[in-house]
Structures are given as C-alpha cells and as structure tokens.
C-alpha cells in the first residue's frame, strides 16, 4: 500500500476525505506508515544514482521522508503535496513543499521550472498526474512512477478486502505487466529502467497497524460509506493472520517502479 487511493492520485485522496476523517492521520502517516516505503525509495535512488548532481521534485511527497533520503545523498530536493497537514509536517523537517493546485493547469507550483528527476510514489497514479509530472521533468531527465505489485505478492491484499467490500470503485487491481511503462509512454516519455522491491510492513501492535493503514488514505471511501468504527473493527480482524507471537504485526508487499526519460526537445503531456 502506498500513499493514495488505488485508482487515483493525491488529489483524489484529499478530495475524498473531509477534515474529520483526516484529523490526526497526517501524523500517523509520518510516525507510523511512511517508513514502510523506505526500501522503495532507496531502491529507486540507488538504481538511478541520485546524488549531488540531482535536482529532485517529489510529487505527492506527503510528509517528506522520501525527500529527506534523497537530500541525504546530496540531491537538491523540493516537493508538491495536496494535504495541508502533511505539508506542515514536511516544513517542520526543513523541506520546501508547495501546495499542488490543479493538475489540469500547467503552472509550476515551486520556484524551479523543471528537475532532473521527478518522482510519483503514488499508488496507481492517473494518466493526468503522470502527464502533469512529466511537464516538470527537464529534457533528458527522468520521471519515476510506482505501484503495488501483483496481489499474490502482497500480504496487504487480504487487508484491502475491507476497502473492496465497502467502496469497490475506490480500490482497483495492481497494474498489468507493463502498465507503468505504458503510463510513461502515454506522457511522451521513453521507458528506461524498472525494478521491484519488497517492503516489509511491521507494526508494534494491532492499534498501530490500524492507525498506519488508515493513514494511507486507502480506506477513506470505506469509512465514508460504512463508518470509521466498523472499518477499524474489520481492519483489526483482517490483520489477525499477520499477528506475531509477541503481539506485533508483520506483512510484506512488493512494489514496482518504472522510470521514463523525457526526450531532448520533446514536449510532454
């Protein structure tokens, strides 16, 4: 599970959940859930040799851990995030993260016009979000998109059934083979690299696991339709197979990513 509703982008996530549903979720993301995706971030940065020569823009960067990791490798970093509470947490980490605005507009929300690397670590990014992000990639630069892997390679598949039951339109399947590359090609980019990485989701207990998973935004639609109490109860039940003898919770998801190059002199989107 990544950081947005499976069928949409950060824009959809923020629009789907009102203030009451999102209250406290930003901090739960930053304190519990965000670290689960560190293997994905590090694999991308290692494979693409992110370093001092990299200017990186994180689209949908949430509270900014992915930016901090790139900054630790010497990169110049900036972010775009639609959720105000997440932006505040990123700012508290000393990061420059701007509001996202509308993905239908071409105006760039951060001072630098384009970047050598743009990342969209959103689960199932929409074609519109990918095209918007491609416009912020320098000619010869790279855009990275990511998604959860096949259902049989993800422990969270059983947990996501809670969202499927109550809001089936909000949760789709993992992309078919080549799906991420097709998104990049449709945005005018040339697919150039890809990878897959296991991300262990480990929590000290059931309460922490439920809070972390709810912070992903994947269950917002289910909460709106069935109520927060019922969704939390069903999440606890779905997590019982992943309980360890010491009371902790552990499951492993596979994530896939693909990178595309913006051709020199090409107009993307």
């Amino acid at each position: 599970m990544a950081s947005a509703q499976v069928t949409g982008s950060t824009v959809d996530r923020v629009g789907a959940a009102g203030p009451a549903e999102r209250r406290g979720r930003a901090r739960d993301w930053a304190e519990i859930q965000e670290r689960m995706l560190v293997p994905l971030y590090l694999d991308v940065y290692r494979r693409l040799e992110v370093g001092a020569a990299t200017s990186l823009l994180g689209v949908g960067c949430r509270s900014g851990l992915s930016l901090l990791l790139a900054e630790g490798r010497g990169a110049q970093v900036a972010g775009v995030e639609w959720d105000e509470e997440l932006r505040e947490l990123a700012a508290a980490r000393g990061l420059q993260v701007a509001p996202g605005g509308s993905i239908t507009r071409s105006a760039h929300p951060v001072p630098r016009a384009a970047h050598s690397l743009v990342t969209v670590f959103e689960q199932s990014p929409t074609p519109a979000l990918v095209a918007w992000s491609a416009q912020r990639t320098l000619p010869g630069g790279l855009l990275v998109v990511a998604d959860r892997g096949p259902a049989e390679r993800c422990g969270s598949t059983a947990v996501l059934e809670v969202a499927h039951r109550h809001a089936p339109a909000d949760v789709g399947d993992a992309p078919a083979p080549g799906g991420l590359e097709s998104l990049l090609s449709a945005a005018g980019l040339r697919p150039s690299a890809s990878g897959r990485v296991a991300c262990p989701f480990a929590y000290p207990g059931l309460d922490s696991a439920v809070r972390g998973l709810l912070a992903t935004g994947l269950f917002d639609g289910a909460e709106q339709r069935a109520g927060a109490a019922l969704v939390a109860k069903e999440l606890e039940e779905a997590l019982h197979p992943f309980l360890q003898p010491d009371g902790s919770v552990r499951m492993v998801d596979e994530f896939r990513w693909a990178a595309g190059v913006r051709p020199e002199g090409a107009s993307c989107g």
Side-chain angles (χ1 to χ4, degrees):
M1 273 170 282
S3 56
Q5 292 182 353
V6 178
T7 56
S9 67
T10 310
V11 181
D12 304 314
R13 184 189 72 241
V14 175
E21 288 82 0
R22 295 304 304 171
R23 188 174 299 120
R25 297 283 170 82
R27 190 161 295 280
D28 284 344
W29 171 267
E31 295 180 353
I32 299 173
Q33 192 66 24
E34 189 172 33
R35 66 180 181 271
M36 310 302 177
L37 298 179
V38 166
L40 170 64
Y41 304 150
L42 293 181
D43 189 60
V44 170
Y45 296 160
R46 177 185 61 83
R47 289 278 306 277
L48 300 184
E49 299 182 343
V50 169
T54 305
S55 167
L56 184 148
L57 177 68
V59 176
C61 65
R62 298 185 68 108
S63 51
L65 180 57
S66 61
L67 299 181
L68 287 176
L69 293 172
E71 190 175 57
R73 297 174 65 95
Q76 301 174 39
V77 301
V80 174
E81 173 53 49
W82 280 259
D83 186 288
E84 182 178 2
E85 291 182 28
L86 289 167
R87 289 199 306 273
E88 291 173 356
L89 291 173
R93 290 170 161 176
L95 295 166
Q96 179 192 26
V97 176
S102 170
I103 63 173
T104 63
R105 299 174 184 168
S106 60
H108 198 283
V110 293
R112 191 181 181 108
H115 300 258
S116 63
L117 175 62
V118 177
T119 60
V120 184
F121 289 124
E122 282 290 335
Q123 193 163 318
S124 289
T126 62
L129 183 63
V130 174
W132 187 87
S133 302
Q135 293 170 2
R136 282 135 189 91
T137 307
L138 285 167
L142 292 166
L143 171 63
V144 171
V145 292
D147 204 349
R148 192 170 61 100
E152 66 273 13
R153 294 179 178 269
C154 294
S156 70
T157 298
V159 179
L160 281 173
E161 285 303 314
V162 175
H164 272 288
R165 280 197 297 274
H166 299 294
D170 291 347
V171 183
D173 298 322
L180 293 175
E181 288 82 356
S182 295
L183 273 175
L184 294 169
S185 295
L189 303 170
R190 176 174 54 81
S192 62
S194 63
R196 59 185 188 183
V197 59
C199 291
F201 286 17
Y203 310 90
L206 277 173
D207 177 71
S208 175
V210 170
R211 286 168 54 205
L213 291 168
L214 290 175
T216 65
L218 290 163
F219 301 89
D220 287 353
E223 286 187 306
Q224 290 175 353
R225 290 164 177 78
L230 178 60
V231 171
K233 178 178 180 295
E234 292 186 359
L235 267 179
E236 280 197 13
E237 294 172 353
L239 286 166
H240 271 282
F242 303 100
L243 270 173
Q244 305 301 303
D246 63 357
S248 63
V249 176
R250 179 181 172 85
M251 55 188 172
V252 179
D253 272 12
E254 178 182 281
F255 279 81
R256 294 185 174 182
W257 62 269
V261 176
R262 179 173 178 175
E264 299 283 350
S267 175
C268 294

